[in-house]
Amino acid sequence: EVRLVESGGGLVQAGGSLRLSCAASGFTVDDYVIGWFRQAPGKEREGVSCIVSSHGNTYYTNSVKGRFTISSDNAKNTVYLEMNSLKPEDTAVYYCARGHYVATTWERGYDFDSWGQGTQVTVSS
């Protein structure tokens, strides 16, 4: 059974940091694209970052470039999202998902077929 479990969310002040984890089971993260997405209340879901572990390629949406870092630990079959210099507008439920390739429209999430349950990130001003 394919499963993705996010953890690491919480409440943090603006300027603070959090590290999210996405623990995968039922497949190997190195064989797939793993993406992080977020959805704030009343807003559409947006892609934050994704990684192709086998190639070492990473992708970021413009609003998080220079602040967020995606990485993977193949031994733990886990993908991380290190979030620094957090802003109130980063507040959202964060989800990880599995994809098969990185499309030019990856940020829309249409090419990801398995999703975790999400973890809440709240950044206070």
Side-chain angles (χ1 to χ4, degrees):
E1 178 189 3
V2 172
R3 195 167 179 223
L4 296 147
V5 179
E6 304 93 337
S7 62
L11 173 64
V12 64
Q13 289 188 335
S17 299
L18 283 174
R19 187 177 80 157
L20 305 183
S21 299
C22 172
S25 58
F27 71 100
T28 302
V29 296
D30 198 41
D31 292 337
Y32 292 86
V33 178
I34 303 298
W36 282 100
F37 297 81
R38 65 187 180 187
Q39 187 165 20
K43 295 188 177 181
E44 292 188 356
R45 181 186 65 200
E46 65 171 342
V48 176
S49 180
C50 66
I51 185 168
V52 184
S53 300
S54 58
H55 299 156
N57 293 342
T58 58
Y59 304 81
Y60 299 92
T61 194
N62 287 337
S63 63
V64 307
K65 285 180 180 177
R67 300 189 298 123
F68 291 11
T69 303
I70 192 170
S71 62
S72 66
D73 183 334
N74 292 340
K76 295 183 177 179
N77 214 34
T78 298
V79 173
Y80 303 98
L81 185 69
E82 183 77 32
M83 306 186 296
N84 298 314
S85 302
L86 283 161
K87 304 175 181 180
E89 51 263 44
D90 294 317
T91 295
V93 177
Y94 283 70
Y95 301 88
C96 64
R98 185 189 77 168
H100 297 266
Y101 61 93
V102 181
T104 55
T105 56
W106 70 266
E107 294 177 45
R108 298 181 185 177
Y110 297 154
D111 304 300
F112 291 78
D113 61 2
S114 298
W115 294 76
Q117 83 290 347
T119 186
Q120 176 70 47
V121 171
T122 303
V123 184
S124 63
S125 57

